[in-house]
Amino acid sequence: MGINIEPTMSKKAGAIQVEKKQAVPENVNLKQKRDARLKEELLARRADRKKTAGDKKKEYLKRAEAHHNEYLNAEKTLVGERRKARAAGSFFVGEEPRVYLVVRIRGISNLSPTVKKILQLLRLRQLHNATLIRVNKATTNMLRRVEPFITYGYPSRQIISKLVYKRGYVRVNKQRIPISRNEIIEQSLGKYGIICVEDLIHELVTVGPHFKEANNFLWPFKLNPPRGGFSAKRHPFHNRGDWGNRENYITELVRRML
């Protein structure tokens, strides 16, 4: 390392001038090479990430379209069965609901230890929390024990989809994380074949084989007080009150609480 001195002849004065060329230090040369290599690696990773994101997006759209077609076919089949029954002069009885949507409508006052424990098992620890629960004998008996503090019913596919999209938060490392990217779902539920929001909604609506894992992955929905308020929290729904089983009318209440 040093200074290169090259003699040059001036055309005007004919005198000898010294032109100095500063040599690049070795550490600077190594840093430039390292920066160039890191830049190439970064651009390669970005290109690969972009290509992977494009492929995943196509897969998400493909799955969403498949689920949508499944819902349409199920509705068409249901309508066809009802028309056949009507034409034959009989009645068509559809399948039993497979999922409850439970909303807590009372606070912590006057709670017995049994009621408090059941509400904890149902993950209804706060007022206006909502959860999805599989329909079976055990859960039905639990709901009947705490009926004066909750209201529940059979949600539609549209209301479950709105809950997930508008109020959907998931549990990641015991933290409440919003569903902002499909990768969050894929990292936790990808081993069950659930890689996007539409897969999650489909699993909840159809009560699939991994309903428990998908439901536990979701944080309980935090809703607002209903627009227009409640009618009468001290009376059951069938007596123009609020608590108890609303069946399909739970959709109207939750829509006012979103």
Side-chain angles (χ1 to χ4, degrees), residues 130-198:
T131 57
L132 295 170
I133 299 175
R134 189 196 302 265
V135 176
N136 54 41
K137 184 177 180 180
T139 56
T140 302
N141 291 336
M142 290 172 64
L143 294 178
R144 288 175 180 171
R145 293 290 299 271
V146 295
E147 270 192 344
F149 302 91
I150 62 171
T151 184
Y152 60 97
Y154 313 126
S156 63
R157 174 177 57 85
Q158 290 81 3
I159 204 65
I160 294 178
S161 179
K162 286 185 177 180
L163 282 172
V164 173
Y165 274 108
K166 290 187 175 183
R167 299 302 174 93
Y169 285 78
V170 296
R171 186 189 304 273
V172 178
N173 297 328
K174 298 182 179 180
Q175 294 180 342
R176 185 171 181 260
I177 305 297
I179 304 177
S180 57
R181 296 176 291 108
N182 286 319
E183 286 76 10
I184 298 175
I185 299 175
E186 185 175 3
Q187 290 173 1
S188 298
L189 300 179
K191 55 187 176 182
Y192 303 118
I194 303 173
I195 64 172
C196 61
V197 178
E198 289 299 327

Side-chain angles (χ1 to χ4, degrees), residues 49-65 182-183 186 195-196 198:
R49 193 184 306 120
K50 185 176 181 180
K51 182 178 181 302
T52 303
D55 296 339
K56 286 186 177 181
K57 185 176 181 180
K58 292 180 181 178
E59 180 65 20
Y60 298 153
L61 293 175
K62 181 179 178 181
R63 292 198 174 206
E65 184 178 2
N182 286 319
E183 286 76 10
E186 185 175 3
I195 64 172
C196 61
E198 289 299 327

